[in-house]
Amino acid sequence: MLHATIAAIGTAVPDYRVPQADVKEAVRHMFGASVPQLDRLLPIFENSGIDARHFCMPLEWFLVPHDAEEKHRLFVQHAATLAERAARRCLERAGVAPTEVDHILFVTTTGTATPSIDARLFNRLGLRPNVKRTPIWGLGCAGGAAGLSRAAEYVSAFPRHRCLLVAAELCSLTFIRDDASKSNLIATSLFADGAAAALVEGEAAADARSSGGRAVPGIVSTRSTIWPDSLDVMGWDVTNDGLKVVFSKDIPSLVTREMRGVTEALLSPAGLTIPDLAHYALHPGGTKVLRAYGEALGLPSERLAAAEGVLRRYGNMSSCTVLFVLEALLGEADALRSGEFGIAGALGPGFSSELLLLRF
């Protein structure tokens, strides 16, 4: 059993908000001559469950090709800015100064940088010179949930410490203008940019600070799962033009088949079953994935309302999305009761699952 508390969450999105209908028309313009029967594929935009998304560059920027070097420069610039914004909001909500952070975890999969973005946050936020830093790369959509798990394990070992988890993803910069594959078109209908931060405190650190009456869930336990021979389900191929998406059509069926078993494995050591769960903060990979969650866990649609709302307003922002969902869930103060249990979780490359058991 872990002894960790999520003291606060902060989120941020870039300035360019683009309606889904505008993205659809841009895709029609870009791929109309190169993709046979494109009109048969375009309904994926209406069926995505997304109203609008946020990108770090204006829509017209995507109409022409860009090389990997330019994308890298933009990733470093915008990831650092969004990460700082999310981190500041998180710390302000918690009433914690940057110098009170003992460990910073930085999660991403959509770009690389050395020094890593957490080093840039050290300078921007004014963290202590002896702050511990752990950059985590490559877990895709599962990265935010995995980061929460690693933060909880750290502060359980060091109960006086505070760990700041920051996830920043610029999925739009992985778009390859000349990639006319179906996977790229599907990714173009789903992915977006954003950042989120969560402050995770050990038991002694949490006791020393008032929550101000806000809902502050405890992390009870975690479970990581990776399925064998599933490397081709989700990920990136590295090309001269940047990161080329790998996206299997089998993801929803995998969720339907596997999600119940891994959830029961998380709950069983705590003496709980799925009907004991009151709240779900699950990563909305897309409408098909949300439906698969519901089928696997036997959930009415209202149990996934927070995830559906985040998908509708922001799209799939990879690792940070689960933190947006958790923030939305915590904002429903009237729906949360002390002592209730919930789960947070996401799926990612590997093919893998990261789940957390929460107590409110």
Side-chain angles (χ1 to χ4, degrees):
M1 302 290 283
L2 300 174
H3 299 281
T5 299
I6 302 173
I9 294 174
T11 58
V13 290
D15 295 334
Y16 295 105
R17 181 183 182 274
V18 183
Q20 186 76 324
D22 292 357
V23 182
K24 176 184 173 181
E25 289 309 307
V27 167
R28 189 194 302 275
H29 171 77
M30 286 186 284
F31 295 111
S34 57
V35 178
Q37 299 180 317
L38 177 63
D39 285 341
R40 294 181 58 185
L41 297 174
L42 288 179
I44 60 176
F45 287 87
E46 286 90 355
N47 298 332
S48 66
I50 298 169
D51 290 342
R53 288 174 282 162
H54 292 257
F55 301 141
C56 67
M57 300 298 288
L59 188 57
E60 54 267 25
W61 183 87
F62 300 95
L63 301 181
V64 297
H66 301 275
D67 62 28
E69 182 178 350
E70 180 184 0
K71 292 177 182 180
H72 166 75
R73 290 196 304 269
L74 289 170
F75 171 81
V76 173
Q77 173 189 341
H78 291 285
T81 298
L82 285 174
E84 178 188 2
R85 196 182 306 166
R88 287 192 182 279
R89 286 176 179 168
C90 175
L91 293 174
E92 287 169 3
R93 286 177 178 174
V96 169
T99 52
E100 296 178 271
V101 173
D102 301 284
H103 192 163
I104 182 168
L105 292 170
F106 179 75
V107 172
T108 193
T109 300
T110 49
T112 58
T114 303
S116 50
I117 301 298
D118 47 285
R120 290 166 167 82
L121 288 176
F122 160 73
N123 289 294
R124 286 171 173 247
L125 295 174
L127 301 172
R128 296 199 315 265
N130 66 335
V131 69
K132 296 176 174 63
R133 297 190 295 119
T134 304
I136 300 175
W137 192 89
L139 294 179
C141 296
L148 274 180
S149 296
R150 303 297 84 79
E153 291 157 2
Y154 171 78
V155 299
S156 293
F158 299 94
R160 296 185 181 279
H161 284 206
R162 294 184 173 95
C163 184
L164 180 64
L165 165 68
V166 184
E169 303 286 5
L170 297 173
C171 302
S172 70
L173 295 181
T174 69
F175 173 71
I176 297 177
R177 168 65 179 83
D178 295 329
D179 178 9
S181 68
K182 187 174 181 180
S183 289
N184 190 42
L185 289 177
I186 293 173
T188 302
S189 74
L190 287 174
F191 288 107
D193 302 342
L199 184 67
V200 182
E201 295 181 323
E203 192 170 27
D207 288 345
R209 185 186 51 78
S210 169
S211 69
R214 294 177 294 104
V216 283
I219 300 173
V220 179
S221 60
T222 69
R223 185 174 182 86
S224 301
T225 304
I226 183 168
W227 287 277
D229 303 319
S230 60
L231 299 178
D232 59 347
V233 172
M234 184 187 294
W236 304 115
D237 287 333
V238 180
T239 74
N240 289 334
D241 296 315
L243 298 172
K244 176 181 168 66
V245 69
V246 176
F247 206 58
S248 171
K249 62 180 175 58
D250 297 327
I251 293 173
S253 61
L254 283 168
V255 175
T256 302
R257 186 173 71 241
E258 303 289 353
M259 190 67 190
R260 189 174 190 89
V262 296
T263 303
E264 290 173 338
L266 171 74
L267 300 179
S268 179
L272 300 173
T273 62
I274 290 172
D276 294 317
L277 297 175
H279 305 287
Y280 292 84
L282 297 174
H283 169 73
T287 53
K288 290 183 178 180
V289 172
L290 285 175
R291 284 198 296 269
Y293 283 143
E295 292 174 13
L297 301 176
L299 301 178
S301 59
E302 58 265 23
R303 289 293 184 91
L304 297 173
E308 290 175 347
V310 168
L311 181 67
R312 183 175 63 255
R313 295 190 299 274
Y314 301 107
N316 182 340
M317 299 168 287
S318 192
S319 68
C320 57
T321 317
V322 70
L323 297 175
F324 275 72
V325 177
L326 191 52
E327 180 188 48
L329 189 63
L330 294 178
E332 300 172 358
D334 294 340
L336 301 175
R337 293 178 175 83
S338 178
E340 290 180 328
F341 289 96
I343 60 170
L347 301 159
F351 187 60
S352 61
S353 163
E354 293 286 344
L355 290 175
L356 302 96
L357 175 61
L358 307 176
R359 185 166 186 170
F360 294 88

